[in-house]
Amino acid sequence: MGFFDKFKSKSKESAQVSADIIYAPMTGEAKNIGECKDPVFAQEIVGKGTMILPSEGKLYAPVDGNITMVAQTGHALGITSTTGLEILIHIGLDTVELKGEPFDIKVSNEQNVKKGNLLLEFDIEQIKASGKSTQSPVIITNPDHYQINVLKSGNVSHGDDLIEAKKN
């Protein structure tokens, strides 16, 4: 081992900072989670993240992973990434009260998915007509071992970089 090899191995170790990107699961307007009308999400009681006001009624996988929860009514979905991030996507607020009407689920529990796979479709106009908010939180529910950074606000398209989670 030469003199400079010591420095090379150290730089490789420091370059191995683990970071995951959560991609926008829907097209719309990303906003600060603190603006959410639901205090449970706004105060980050469930976890850390952002919210999207959807302009298109399609929800796509934000990461490669496994579907860990699909609400029977279709209003919420959980996915665990291949690296262990637990992500909750809640479409609209109080939309559980719609008993599944505006939702068409395309996946099932324990299904493996790839980033960009269509997970479900929903009728934005039907949600609005029922008097419910379309604010849709995208939350990391196991943030304790991560530094969470929201990468984008304003207009987003599904597949855009949305949240970065760096391992502590």
Side-chain angles (χ1 to χ4, degrees), residues 5-22:
D5 289 336
K6 291 180 184 178
F7 297 104
K8 289 178 188 172
S9 64
K10 284 185 182 176
S11 66
K12 281 182 186 174
E13 286 173 17
S14 63
Q16 291 178 353
V17 174
S18 179
D20 290 318
I21 300 295
I22 293 87

Side-chain angles (χ1 to χ4, degrees), residues 77-154:
L77 187 138
I79 182 171
T80 300
S81 75
T82 54
T83 59
L85 277 174
E86 297 171 2
I87 303 159
L88 170 68
I89 305 166
H90 197 285
I91 300 169
L93 301 177
D94 298 324
T95 48
V96 65
E97 297 169 7
L98 303 179
K99 300 181 176 140
E101 282 298 313
F103 303 101
D104 180 15
I105 303 165
K106 306 289 186 187
V107 293
S108 58
N109 279 326
E110 304 306 318
Q111 183 175 333
N112 287 320
V113 294
K114 295 284 184 195
K115 174 190 151 270
N117 287 159
L118 181 63
L119 305 178
L120 62 87
E121 293 181 300
F122 54 99
D123 187 329
I124 295 170
E125 294 310 314
Q126 190 175 355
I127 293 170
K128 288 179 181 177
S130 70
K132 305 298 179 197
S133 171
T134 60
Q135 291 182 341
S136 299
V138 180
I139 304 295
I140 297 169
T141 60
N142 64 336
D144 293 347
H145 301 292
Y146 297 91
Q147 179 183 349
I148 309 299
N149 298 309
V150 175
L151 300 174
K152 192 163 185 185
S153 62

Side-chain angles (χ1 to χ4, degrees), residues 46-68:
V46 178
K48 297 187 179 292
T50 188
M51 71 174 170
I52 297 176
L53 298 172
S55 60
E56 179 183 65
K58 293 182 180 186
L59 178 70
Y60 299 90
V63 293
D64 291 349
N66 185 268
I67 301 297
T68 49

